[in-house]
């Protein structure tokens, strides 16, 4: 797990040779494998499966379980809180459902039913129909899974060596499970990168990676402004808490714009 996280650190800092070396090290060491079916990854009865590298552990007990289902699932959804549905406080951005091909096997897990009166969908990855309470869902929250590492391997390979057979083969594992054809042959390095970042979105949505993917590849501003979001360059960094600046005797300076 530590080596896998180091691969992600190297990727985030754009140290692609080391990212590739660490990703290859973990893949070749063999402790992880993809689940055969996408839905099996998030099955509450299949926790800590072969695809899970690191996860926040929850138990099906009030106050000790996951709460995401109650937050994100719609009020008519049978998958939350013993079949009582969720609060529907978070729902899928307009047009996101349409980004998936209908033959993509991930679509059945990725999305839950639309809430009554709303022509939209909710995030469906986390489901526990026999949860004990709103705060008692048994699902773990997977912070890092093997599919993410495989896609890191493909991205780093492309950045170091271009869209090689190895890069295509890494992506093929993810696309095969989704029951989709692999990327088109003959892509340039830039085209492969664009396709890969899109694939990461389709595979890893709601697992807290998209912001970092867009930021790392320089696509954050264009992506946000294209859907009407406001932009300021300061958004690339968080502000440093004043308490930390004070504790450093002002050796630490505030990030620009704050």
């Amino acid at each position: 797990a530590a080596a896998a996280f180091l691969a992600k650190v190297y990727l985030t800092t754009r140290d692609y040779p080391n990212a590739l070396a660490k990703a290859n090290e973990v893949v070749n060491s063999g402790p992880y494998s993809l689940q055969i079916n996408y839905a099996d990854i998030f099955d509450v009865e299949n926790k800590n499966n072969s695809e899970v590298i690191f996860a926040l552990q929850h138990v099906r007990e009030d106050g000790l379980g996951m709460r995401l289902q109650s937050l994100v699932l719609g009020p008519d959804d049978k998958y939350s809180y013993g079949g009582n549905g969720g609060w529907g406080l978070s729902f899928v951005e307009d047009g996101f459902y349409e980004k998936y091909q209908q033959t993509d096997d991930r679509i059945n897990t990725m999305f839950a039913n639309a809430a009554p009166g709303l022509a939209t969908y909710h995030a469906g990855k986390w489901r526990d129909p026999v949860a004990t309470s709103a705060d008692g869902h048994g699902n773990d929250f997977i912070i890092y899974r093997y599919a993410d590492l495989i896609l890191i391997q493909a991205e780093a390979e492309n950045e170091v060596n271009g869209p090689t057979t190895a890069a295509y083969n890494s992506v093929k594992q993810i696309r095969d499970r989704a029951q989709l054809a692999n990327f088109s042959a003959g892509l340039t390095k830039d085209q492969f990168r664009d396709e890969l970042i899109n694939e990461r979105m389709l595979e890893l949505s709601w697992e807290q990676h998209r912001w970092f993917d867009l930021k790392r590849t320089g696509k954050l501003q264009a992506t946000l402004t294209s859907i009407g979001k406001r932009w300021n360059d300061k958004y690339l960094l968080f502000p440093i808490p004043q308490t930390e600046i004070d504790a450093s005797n002002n050796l630490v300076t505030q990030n620009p714009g704050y």
Side-chain angles (χ1 to χ4, degrees), residues 58-67 70 81-82 87 128 130-139:
H58 296 103
V59 294
R60 192 180 283 141
E61 183 177 335
D62 187 28
L64 298 177
M66 185 190 263
R67 197 184 201 191
S70 295
Y81 187 12
W87 302 324
D128 187 357
V130 294
T132 59
S133 70
D135 294 319
H137 296 86
N139 312 73

Side-chain angles (χ1 to χ4, degrees), residues 13 22 54 103 113 117-118 137 159 198 215 257:
T13 60
K22 277 297 169 186
F54 196 85
T103 54
N113 298 328
L118 296 176
H137 296 86
E159 296 298 336
N198 184 67
K215 184 176 174 180

Side-chain angles (χ1 to χ4, degrees), residues 92-252:
V92 176
E93 185 177 78
D94 288 346
F96 184 58
Y97 180 88
E98 287 72 24
K99 293 182 184 295
Y100 287 80
Q101 298 179 42
Q102 289 301 305
T103 54
D104 192 328
D105 182 63
R106 295 172 292 199
I107 202 170
N108 296 316
T109 301
M110 192 71 65
F111 301 97
N113 298 328
L118 296 176
T120 188
Y121 290 85
H122 296 274
K125 281 186 172 178
W126 309 287
R127 309 176 183 188
D128 187 357
V130 294
T132 59
S133 70
D135 294 319
H137 296 86
N139 312 73
D140 295 341
F141 184 83
I142 303 172
I143 295 176
Y144 199 165
R145 60 184 173 90
Y146 190 56
D148 183 6
L149 183 67
I150 292 293
L151 292 172
I152 288 174
Q153 183 186 47
E155 182 176 344
E157 173 68 22
N158 181 59
E159 296 298 336
V160 174
N161 300 311
T164 62
T165 299
Y168 269 92
N169 285 343
S170 292
V171 174
K172 186 177 187 299
Q173 298 176 60
I174 307 300
R175 300 281 289 183
D176 280 352
R177 180 171 67 183
Q179 300 180 26
L180 298 173
N182 201 2
F183 291 172
S184 300
L187 296 177
T188 66
K189 181 177 182 178
D190 290 344
Q191 289 171 334
F192 190 93
R193 182 190 304 118
D194 288 345
E195 290 290 332
L196 188 63
I197 295 306
N198 184 67
E199 190 64 32
R200 287 183 61 83
M201 175 186 69
L202 298 175
E203 174 72 21
L204 301 169
S205 285
W206 303 309
E207 297 178 52
Q208 314 302 322
H209 303 296
R210 180 68 168 164
W211 173 272
F212 301 99
D213 291 345
L214 293 175
K215 184 176 174 180
R216 179 180 70 254
T217 55
K219 299 176 183 295
L220 184 58
Q221 179 178 353
T223 300
L224 292 178
T225 55
S226 70
I227 57 174
K229 303 294 185 181
R230 293 179 298 171
W231 178 259
N232 186 309
D233 285 346
K234 75 177 186 179
Y235 298 154
L236 291 169
L237 298 171
F238 282 116
I240 299 173
Q242 187 62 45
T243 53
E244 298 301 322
I245 296 174
D246 294 342
S248 75
N249 293 320
N250 293 315
L251 293 176
V252 173

Side-chain angles (χ1 to χ4, degrees), residues 68-81 83-89:
L68 274 172
Q69 293 88 335
S70 295
L71 294 173
V72 306
L73 288 169
D76 67 334
D77 205 300
K78 63 185 179 181
Y79 297 121
S80 178
Y81 187 12
N84 292 324
W87 302 324
L89 301 181

